[in-house]
Amino acid sequence: MNEALAQHRLAPPRLRLELAGADATKGVFKERRTRRGALLHDLDPAVLNQRLRDGATLIVDAANELSASLQALCAGLSAELVGACQANLYACWGRTQGFDVHWDDHDVFVVQVEGTKRWSLYGATRPWPTRRDHHQDHPKPETPIEEIVLEPGDLLYLPRGYWHAAVGTGGPTMHLTIGVTRKTGTDLLHWMADQAVTHAPVRADLPLEADDAALGRHIQAVIAAAVSGADPAELGRRYRRSVETGLPRRPALSFPFIGGEGAAYPAATAIRLTEGGGRLGPAAQPGAVVLSHRGTDYTLVAELGGVVADMVAGRPVRYADLEGAVREGDRPLVAAFVGDMVARGVFVLGPP
């Protein structure tokens, strides 16, 4: 964390302080403008340390973007659960409670990194709440059902909607909250509505000026058109691909390799899949396999299946492994294949 704060310009609200449920960031940053007029925020270590001594909690959002190993963890969870994943960092040096009792609209994995922290757990008062819900819509529980102290290495899972609060135990303490936002049936229905605009009854004006019976008949036609001939399994496959394609991801580049025709790659060059996971399965045509990655299918010759399976499992392979997997006459095509996958952001290359 010390290195991240020194090497990255983290402006509020990404970096902020909370004290007794209120924002305590004011005065921690000094604002200045560059000669070109850009506004910069310079962190004032003296003020920051004083606020932390006063009991404030330091919060850094998207801490996974500051750590390669943490980013790999979040990318793996995102691919496995098909949802957006982000890690936030919390650090405090006292016994002050940063946030009041609350619930989150996404699942949370709490990882205690250093020191200890006491958690009060209150349970859920509404099944599967969404971001549209408001805390005042369901009353806050008054008494916790359990209180626990997390120690370094402990992991606590909080389903969305689970009321909780945390407080330091007196010494330095730091934990990560790894949040996973998954899709719900509401998201699926919105997607299905977008898909249904190809049907004329769905695009037609609703006859709201007509009587209830006529309006009802039109609505029945809209619903019938929207779901006509829809196979639930096929809908699920298409929706999963759509979600995978739209998940936010950090860029992974292979400089000096940028793809393109005529590129040459040393035999020992390490090749791996970019974050986002992957699945390998049979193709409709014989002699081929399909690599599914970030919502897109790539048809490959079957000879590459074993090597690509290693990449799907998270193991890097060598360029020589790809060349060795195909017939000698096809080896000149491997460079073009690798270059194309690099240009598409599917493969990332690095030193051995």
Side-chain angles (χ1 to χ4, degrees):
M1 183 175 69
N2 292 333
E3 293 178 357
L5 297 185
Q7 298 173 5
H8 297 267
R9 189 177 296 279
L10 304 178
R14 185 179 179 186
L15 186 153
R16 62 191 186 278
L17 299 179
E18 293 279 344
L19 180 60
D23 183 31
T25 312
K26 186 176 180 180
V28 174
F29 290 91
K30 295 180 179 180
E31 295 184 354
R32 63 181 175 91
R33 291 194 178 274
T34 67
R35 290 186 299 174
R36 296 182 179 273
L39 180 63
L40 301 180
H41 295 82
D42 295 326
L43 189 64
D44 189 327
V47 177
L48 175 62
N49 287 332
Q50 183 59 54
R51 295 286 170 82
L52 296 176
R53 288 196 298 270
D54 292 339
T57 295
L58 171 64
I59 304 170
V60 179
D61 288 345
N64 49 294
E65 297 180 359
L66 307 174
S67 162
S69 57
L70 188 54
Q71 175 62 16
L73 172 62
C74 288
L77 281 172
S78 178
E80 179 71 20
L81 301 177
V82 193
C85 184
Q86 175 175 303
N88 296 339
L89 181 150
Y90 298 80
C92 71
W93 280 255
R95 299 178 184 272
T96 305
Q97 184 171 293
F99 292 104
D100 194 9
V101 179
H102 67 286
W103 55 266
D104 296 302
D105 62 3
H106 52 271
D107 292 342
V108 173
F109 298 93
V110 180
V111 181
Q112 187 67 28
V113 178
E114 186 171 339
T116 59
K117 204 156 196 179
R118 180 177 298 278
W119 289 76
S120 298
L121 309 178
Y122 295 80
T125 53
R126 177 179 173 85
W128 310 111
T130 70
R131 59 183 178 275
R132 297 183 180 181
D133 287 279
H134 301 285
H135 281 66
Q136 60 266 27
D137 292 340
H138 38 118
K140 177 176 65 176
E142 296 296 330
T143 305
I145 60 177
E146 186 177 9
E147 291 191 345
I148 60 175
V149 174
L150 294 187
E151 298 182 350
D154 285 347
L155 172 70
L156 171 65
Y157 169 60
L158 297 170
R160 61 184 165 107
Y162 204 96
W163 293 86
H164 60 276
V167 62
T169 56
T173 177
M174 182 171 69
H175 74 270
L176 299 166
T177 62
I178 302 175
V180 181
T181 302
R182 306 185 70 186
K183 297 298 183 181
T184 68
T186 301
D187 298 303
L188 171 64
L189 291 175
H190 282 298
W191 176 82
M192 289 178 63
D194 291 337
Q195 304 300 303
V197 297
T198 57
H199 301 285
V202 177
R203 299 194 307 272
D205 296 338
L206 288 174
L208 296 176
E209 74 285 355
D211 58 33
D212 291 345
L215 178 60
R217 287 192 295 271
H218 185 91
I219 291 176
Q220 184 177 22
V222 169
I223 296 174
V227 300
S228 176
D231 173 36
E234 176 61 16
L235 276 177
R237 187 192 71 83
R238 289 169 52 203
Y239 184 57
R240 182 191 294 114
R241 299 295 173 84
S242 175
V243 174
E244 289 175 337
T245 301
L247 286 175
R249 294 182 174 92
R250 299 289 295 169
L253 302 172
S254 302
F255 296 156
F257 305 110
I258 58 173
E261 295 183 4
Y265 306 98
T269 300
I271 305 175
R272 58 182 174 85
L273 281 179
T274 54
E275 66 177 57
R279 294 184 298 273
L280 192 66
Q285 63 269 43
V289 294
V290 172
L291 169 65
S292 298
H293 182 262
R294 296 185 178 182
T296 302
D297 289 345
Y298 302 92
T299 301
L300 317 176
V301 294
E303 290 84 353
L304 291 177
V307 180
V308 175
D310 286 337
M311 299 172 69
V312 169
R315 295 185 292 270
V317 302
R318 301 176 307 154
Y319 179 77
D321 296 329
L322 289 172
E323 279 196 324
V326 300
R327 291 170 295 187
E328 186 173 355
D330 293 334
R331 289 177 184 175
L333 301 176
V334 173
F337 163 66
V338 171
D340 183 55
M341 298 299 267
V342 168
R344 293 173 181 269
V346 180
F347 289 176
V348 62
L349 278 56

